[in-house]
Short mmCIF file of all heavy atoms in Angstrom, two decimals:
data_model
loop_
_atom_site.label_atom_id
_atom_site.label_comp_id
_atom_site.label_asym_id
_atom_site.label_seq_id
_atom_site.Cartn_x
_atom_site.Cartn_y
_atom_site.Cartn_z
N TRP L 689 122.39 103.13 95.92
CA TRP L 689 121.37 104.15 95.48
C TRP L 689 121.60 104.43 94.00
O TRP L 689 122.75 104.65 93.63
CB TRP L 689 121.41 105.38 96.27
CG TRP L 689 120.98 105.11 97.71
CD1 TRP L 689 121.79 105.17 98.81
CD2 TRP L 689 119.74 104.75 98.25
NE1 TRP L 689 121.07 104.84 99.99
CE2 TRP L 689 119.79 104.57 99.59
CE3 TRP L 689 118.41 104.62 97.59
CZ2 TRP L 689 118.74 104.24 100.33
CZ3 TRP L 689 117.48 104.29 98.31
CH2 TRP L 689 117.56 104.08 99.79
N ASP L 690 120.54 104.58 93.18
CA ASP L 690 120.58 104.91 91.86
C ASP L 690 120.84 106.37 91.75
O ASP L 690 120.11 107.21 92.45
CB ASP L 690 119.19 104.47 91.18
CG ASP L 690 119.25 104.76 89.70
OD1 ASP L 690 120.14 104.27 89.04
OD2 ASP L 690 118.26 105.35 89.23
N THR L 691 121.72 106.81 90.81
CA THR L 691 121.87 108.24 90.52
C THR L 691 120.84 108.87 89.64
O THR L 691 120.81 110.00 89.55
CB THR L 691 123.30 108.46 89.93
OG1 THR L 691 123.52 107.60 88.83
CG2 THR L 691 124.34 108.03 90.95
N GLU L 692 120.09 108.08 89.00
CA GLU L 692 119.11 108.61 88.08
C GLU L 692 117.80 108.95 88.73
O GLU L 692 117.17 110.04 88.41
CB GLU L 692 118.79 107.60 86.88
CG GLU L 692 117.90 108.06 85.74
CD GLU L 692 117.65 107.10 84.70
OE1 GLU L 692 118.76 106.73 84.14
OE2 GLU L 692 116.66 106.67 84.51
N ILE L 693 117.30 108.10 89.56
CA ILE L 693 116.02 108.38 90.41
C ILE L 693 116.36 108.46 91.78
O ILE L 693 116.82 107.48 92.45
CB ILE L 693 115.04 107.38 90.10
CG1 ILE L 693 114.75 107.32 88.57
CG2 ILE L 693 113.78 107.56 90.83
CD1 ILE L 693 113.63 106.29 88.23
N LYS L 694 116.19 109.61 92.42
CA LYS L 694 116.45 109.81 93.86
C LYS L 694 115.45 108.98 94.66
O LYS L 694 114.28 109.00 94.54
CB LYS L 694 116.42 111.27 94.24
CG LYS L 694 116.69 111.42 95.76
CD LYS L 694 116.62 112.95 96.09
CE LYS L 694 116.95 113.13 97.64
NZ LYS L 694 116.89 114.61 97.94
N GLY L 695 115.89 108.09 95.56
CA GLY L 695 115.09 107.21 96.43
C GLY L 695 114.98 105.81 95.90
O GLY L 695 114.52 104.96 96.57
N PHE L 696 115.49 105.56 94.64
CA PHE L 696 115.50 104.22 94.14
C PHE L 696 116.81 103.54 94.41
O PHE L 696 117.81 104.19 94.24
CB PHE L 696 115.27 104.32 92.62
CG PHE L 696 115.31 102.97 91.86
CD1 PHE L 696 114.65 101.87 92.36
CD2 PHE L 696 116.11 102.83 90.68
CE1 PHE L 696 114.79 100.63 91.69
CE2 PHE L 696 116.20 101.70 90.05
CZ PHE L 696 115.53 100.49 90.49
N GLY L 697 116.80 102.30 94.89
CA GLY L 697 117.94 101.63 95.25
C GLY L 697 117.93 100.16 95.25
O GLY L 697 116.88 99.55 94.86
N LEU L 698 119.01 99.51 95.55
CA LEU L 698 119.13 98.06 95.66
C LEU L 698 119.64 97.70 97.00
O LEU L 698 120.72 98.10 97.35
CB LEU L 698 120.02 97.57 94.50
CG LEU L 698 120.33 96.02 94.41
CD1 LEU L 698 119.03 95.41 93.74
CD2 LEU L 698 121.48 95.70 93.77
N ARG L 699 118.93 96.74 97.69
CA ARG L 699 119.43 96.34 98.95
C ARG L 699 120.06 94.92 98.78
O ARG L 699 119.41 93.95 98.16
CB ARG L 699 118.31 96.12 100.07
CG ARG L 699 118.74 95.72 101.32
CD ARG L 699 117.61 95.84 102.36
NE ARG L 699 116.59 94.90 102.04
CZ ARG L 699 115.35 94.95 102.55
NH1 ARG L 699 115.04 95.86 103.44
NH2 ARG L 699 114.43 94.07 102.27
N VAL L 700 121.34 94.76 99.21
CA VAL L 700 122.06 93.56 98.97
C VAL L 700 122.36 92.94 100.46
O VAL L 700 122.88 93.67 101.35
CB VAL L 700 123.37 93.75 98.38
CG1 VAL L 700 124.19 92.41 98.25
CG2 VAL L 700 123.12 94.52 96.96
N LEU L 701 122.01 91.72 100.62
CA LEU L 701 122.13 91.09 101.99
C LEU L 701 123.37 90.13 101.94
O LEU L 701 123.83 89.69 100.86
CB LEU L 701 120.94 90.18 102.27
CG LEU L 701 119.65 90.93 102.32
CD1 LEU L 701 118.49 89.94 102.87
CD2 LEU L 701 119.69 92.06 103.46
N PRO L 702 123.95 89.81 103.18
CA PRO L 702 125.07 88.89 103.12
C PRO L 702 124.84 87.58 102.43
O PRO L 702 125.75 86.81 101.97
CB PRO L 702 125.28 88.67 104.68
CG PRO L 702 124.89 89.89 105.20
CD PRO L 702 123.53 90.37 104.48
N SER L 703 123.52 87.01 102.44
CA SER L 703 123.18 85.89 101.80
C SER L 703 123.20 85.99 100.35
O SER L 703 123.23 84.94 99.66
CB SER L 703 121.71 85.43 102.15
OG SER L 703 120.84 86.45 101.75
N GLY L 704 123.39 87.19 99.73
CA GLY L 704 123.42 87.36 98.32
C GLY L 704 122.19 87.83 97.72
O GLY L 704 121.99 88.09 96.54
N LEU L 705 120.95 87.82 98.53
CA LEU L 705 119.75 88.27 98.02
C LEU L 705 119.86 89.74 97.70
O LEU L 705 120.25 90.55 98.44
CB LEU L 705 118.68 88.06 99.13
CG LEU L 705 117.22 88.35 98.75
CD1 LEU L 705 116.80 87.31 97.74
CD2 LEU L 705 116.28 88.37 99.97
N LYS L 706 119.30 90.20 96.51
CA LYS L 706 119.25 91.53 96.01
C LYS L 706 117.83 91.95 95.72
O LYS L 706 117.16 91.35 94.92
CB LYS L 706 120.04 91.52 94.78
CG LYS L 706 121.55 91.20 94.87
CD LYS L 706 122.39 91.09 93.60
CE LYS L 706 123.78 90.70 93.82
NZ LYS L 706 124.44 90.58 92.55
N THR L 707 117.49 93.05 96.52
CA THR L 707 116.01 93.47 96.36
C THR L 707 115.97 94.91 96.01
O THR L 707 116.77 95.77 96.64
CB THR L 707 115.23 93.23 97.78
OG1 THR L 707 115.40 91.91 98.05
CG2 THR L 707 113.85 93.58 97.67
N PHE L 708 115.13 95.30 95.02
CA PHE L 708 114.95 96.72 94.70
C PHE L 708 114.07 97.38 95.81
O PHE L 708 113.09 96.82 96.22
CB PHE L 708 114.32 96.87 93.39
CG PHE L 708 115.14 96.40 92.22
CD1 PHE L 708 114.84 95.21 91.51
CD2 PHE L 708 116.27 97.03 91.78
CE1 PHE L 708 115.55 94.76 90.36
CE2 PHE L 708 116.97 96.69 90.80
CZ PHE L 708 116.72 95.59 90.04
N ILE L 709 114.39 98.62 96.19
CA ILE L 709 113.67 99.37 97.13
C ILE L 709 113.47 100.75 96.64
O ILE L 709 114.00 101.19 95.77
CB ILE L 709 114.39 99.39 98.51
CG1 ILE L 709 115.73 100.15 98.29
CG2 ILE L 709 114.66 97.92 98.99
CD1 ILE L 709 116.47 100.47 99.60
N VAL L 710 112.47 101.56 97.24
CA VAL L 710 112.32 102.87 96.94
C VAL L 710 111.99 103.47 98.49
O VAL L 710 111.41 102.88 99.27
CB VAL L 710 111.06 103.06 96.13
CG1 VAL L 710 109.74 102.65 96.70
CG2 VAL L 710 110.95 104.48 95.76
N GLN L 711 112.62 104.71 98.56
CA GLN L 711 112.62 105.38 99.86
C GLN L 711 112.13 106.87 99.67
O GLN L 711 112.48 107.44 98.61
CB GLN L 711 114.00 105.42 100.51
CG GLN L 711 114.09 106.10 101.89
CD GLN L 711 115.47 105.89 102.51
OE1 GLN L 711 115.79 104.74 102.95
NE2 GLN L 711 116.19 106.79 102.61
N TYR L 712 111.25 107.40 100.52
CA TYR L 712 110.69 108.68 100.36
C TYR L 712 110.15 109.20 101.75
O TYR L 712 110.18 108.42 102.68
CB TYR L 712 109.60 108.49 99.43
CG TYR L 712 108.42 107.65 99.86
CD1 TYR L 712 107.32 108.16 100.46
CD2 TYR L 712 108.35 106.33 99.48
CE1 TYR L 712 106.30 107.39 101.01
CE2 TYR L 712 107.44 105.50 99.98
CZ TYR L 712 106.33 106.08 100.71
OH TYR L 712 105.40 105.24 101.16
N ARG L 713 109.72 110.44 101.86
CA ARG L 713 109.04 110.88 102.90
C ARG L 713 107.50 111.20 102.54
O ARG L 713 107.29 111.86 101.49
CB ARG L 713 109.64 112.22 103.43
CG ARG L 713 111.02 111.92 104.01
CD ARG L 713 111.57 113.24 104.77
NE ARG L 713 112.98 112.92 105.30
CZ ARG L 713 113.10 112.31 106.45
NH1 ARG L 713 112.13 112.05 107.24
NH2 ARG L 713 114.31 112.17 106.92
N ASN L 714 106.68 110.75 103.42
CA ASN L 714 105.27 110.85 103.06
C ASN L 714 104.77 112.33 103.39
O ASN L 714 105.69 113.19 103.93
CB ASN L 714 104.35 109.78 103.78
CG ASN L 714 104.40 109.96 105.28
OD1 ASN L 714 104.93 110.95 105.87
ND2 ASN L 714 103.97 108.92 105.96
N ALA L 715 103.47 112.53 103.38
CA ALA L 715 103.07 114.03 103.55
C ALA L 715 103.22 114.39 104.91
O ALA L 715 103.31 115.63 105.18
CB ALA L 715 101.50 113.96 103.30
N GLU L 716 103.36 113.45 105.85
CA GLU L 716 103.62 113.88 107.27
C GLU L 716 105.04 114.02 107.70
O GLU L 716 105.50 114.23 108.76
CB GLU L 716 102.98 112.77 108.22
CG GLU L 716 101.46 112.75 108.09
CD GLU L 716 100.85 111.60 108.82
OE1 GLU L 716 101.68 110.68 109.31
OE2 GLU L 716 99.69 111.52 109.10
N GLY L 717 105.96 113.80 106.67
CA GLY L 717 107.32 113.95 106.69
C GLY L 717 107.96 112.76 107.24
O GLY L 717 109.22 112.71 107.65
N ILE L 718 107.33 111.64 107.42
CA ILE L 718 107.88 110.38 107.98
C ILE L 718 108.59 109.57 106.78
O ILE L 718 108.10 109.40 105.64
CB ILE L 718 106.70 109.46 108.54
CG1 ILE L 718 106.03 110.24 109.73
CG2 ILE L 718 107.29 108.12 109.04
CD1 ILE L 718 104.87 109.51 110.29
N GLN L 719 109.81 109.15 107.08
CA GLN L 719 110.52 108.43 105.97
C GLN L 719 110.00 107.02 105.82
O GLN L 719 109.77 106.31 106.88
CB GLN L 719 111.97 108.34 106.31
CG GLN L 719 112.84 107.81 105.32
CD GLN L 719 114.35 107.80 105.55
OE1 GLN L 719 115.01 108.88 105.31
NE2 GLN L 719 114.94 106.77 106.02
N ARG L 720 109.80 106.72 104.65
CA ARG L 720 109.24 105.26 104.42
C ARG L 720 110.22 104.59 103.43
O ARG L 720 110.99 105.21 102.52
CB ARG L 720 107.96 105.35 103.75
CG ARG L 720 106.78 106.03 104.58
CD ARG L 720 106.27 105.16 105.68
NE ARG L 720 105.02 105.53 106.10
CZ ARG L 720 104.33 105.01 107.13
NH1 ARG L 720 104.98 104.09 107.81
NH2 ARG L 720 103.17 105.44 107.44
N ARG L 721 110.32 103.28 103.63
CA ARG L 721 111.13 102.54 102.69
C ARG L 721 110.42 101.22 102.35
O ARG L 721 109.80 100.59 103.37
CB ARG L 721 112.45 102.12 103.31
CG ARG L 721 113.33 101.29 102.39
CD ARG L 721 114.63 100.84 102.97
NE ARG L 721 115.50 102.12 103.31
CZ ARG L 721 116.58 102.10 103.89
NH1 ARG L 721 117.14 100.97 104.46
NH2 ARG L 721 117.36 103.21 104.03
N MET L 722 110.12 100.87 101.11
CA MET L 722 109.43 99.61 100.83
C MET L 722 110.09 98.87 99.71
O MET L 722 110.82 99.41 98.84
CB MET L 722 108.08 100.10 100.27
CG MET L 722 107.91 100.87 99.02
SD MET L 722 106.25 101.33 98.49
CE MET L 722 105.57 99.73 98.15
N ASN L 723 109.86 97.54 99.68
CA ASN L 723 110.42 96.67 98.67
C ASN L 723 109.61 96.75 97.44
O ASN L 723 108.33 96.86 97.36
CB ASN L 723 110.44 95.19 99.20
CG ASN L 723 111.34 95.01 100.45
OD1 ASN L 723 112.26 95.77 100.59
ND2 ASN L 723 111.14 94.10 101.19
N LEU L 724 110.38 96.74 96.32
CA LEU L 724 109.66 96.63 95.02
C LEU L 724 109.61 95.25 94.40
O LEU L 724 108.76 94.80 93.74
CB LEU L 724 110.37 97.62 94.01
CG LEU L 724 110.41 99.09 94.34
CD1 LEU L 724 111.26 99.93 93.41
CD2 LEU L 724 108.92 99.64 94.39
N GLY L 725 110.68 94.49 94.90
CA GLY L 725 110.85 93.14 94.29
C GLY L 725 112.17 92.64 94.15
O GLY L 725 113.12 93.57 94.13
N ARG L 726 112.41 91.42 94.01
CA ARG L 726 113.78 90.86 93.91
C ARG L 726 114.44 91.11 92.49
O ARG L 726 113.66 90.99 91.56
CB ARG L 726 113.71 89.47 94.17
CG ARG L 726 113.33 89.01 95.67
CD ARG L 726 113.57 87.53 95.93
NE ARG L 726 113.05 87.06 97.14
CZ ARG L 726 113.20 85.86 97.68
NH1 ARG L 726 113.74 84.98 96.95
NH2 ARG L 726 112.70 85.55 98.89
N PHE L 727 115.79 91.28 92.48
CA PHE L 727 116.42 91.35 91.23
C PHE L 727 116.41 89.91 90.69
O PHE L 727 116.69 88.98 91.32
CB PHE L 727 117.93 91.79 91.44
CG PHE L 727 118.78 91.73 90.30
CD1 PHE L 727 118.45 92.41 89.09
CD2 PHE L 727 119.85 90.81 90.38
CE1 PHE L 727 119.21 92.26 88.01
CE2 PHE L 727 120.69 90.79 89.17
CZ PHE L 727 120.40 91.48 88.02
N GLY L 728 116.11 89.78 89.47
CA GLY L 728 115.90 88.50 88.82
C GLY L 728 114.40 88.26 88.51
O GLY L 728 114.12 87.66 87.42
N VAL L 729 113.55 88.62 89.47
CA VAL L 729 112.23 88.53 89.29
C VAL L 729 111.71 89.78 88.38
O VAL L 729 110.95 89.72 87.55
CB VAL L 729 111.39 88.40 90.57
CG1 VAL L 729 109.90 88.52 90.32
CG2 VAL L 729 111.79 87.25 91.37
N LEU L 730 112.30 91.01 88.93
CA LEU L 730 112.20 92.18 88.17
C LEU L 730 113.52 92.56 87.47
O LEU L 730 114.50 92.43 87.99
CB LEU L 730 111.75 93.30 89.24
CG LEU L 730 110.51 93.33 89.76
CD1 LEU L 730 110.33 94.57 90.72
CD2 LEU L 730 109.37 93.41 88.84
N THR L 731 113.29 93.06 86.34
CA THR L 731 114.62 93.59 85.61
C THR L 731 114.80 95.06 86.31
O THR L 731 113.90 95.63 86.84
CB THR L 731 114.35 93.70 84.10
OG1 THR L 731 113.35 94.78 83.90
CG2 THR L 731 113.90 92.42 83.49
#
């Protein structure tokens, strides 16, 4: 998890794949997590 923006993070898999993610709660209070893109494709 990034310390600068709460909810912004990097998911790392055993395969080595690194994907940027963002996590938040929507208006109904349900936690959501979505992919932003792969590291290397996005800076």
Side-chain angles (χ1 to χ4, degrees):
W689 295 110
D690 183 53
T691 54
E692 184 175 301
I693 299 179
K694 184 178 180 181
F696 174 51
L698 180 82
R699 181 173 63 192
V700 184
L701 302 183
S703 64
L705 184 67
K706 300 173 183 177
T707 306
F708 293 111
I709 62 170
V710 64
Q711 181 171 291
Y712 62 91
R713 290 189 180 276
N714 65 12
E716 298 175 345
I718 299 173
Q719 182 172 284
R720 301 284 202 186
R721 180 182 293 174
M722 63 182 296
N723 295 335
L724 298 175
R726 295 187 188 185
F727 172 61
V729 176
L730 291 180
T731 67

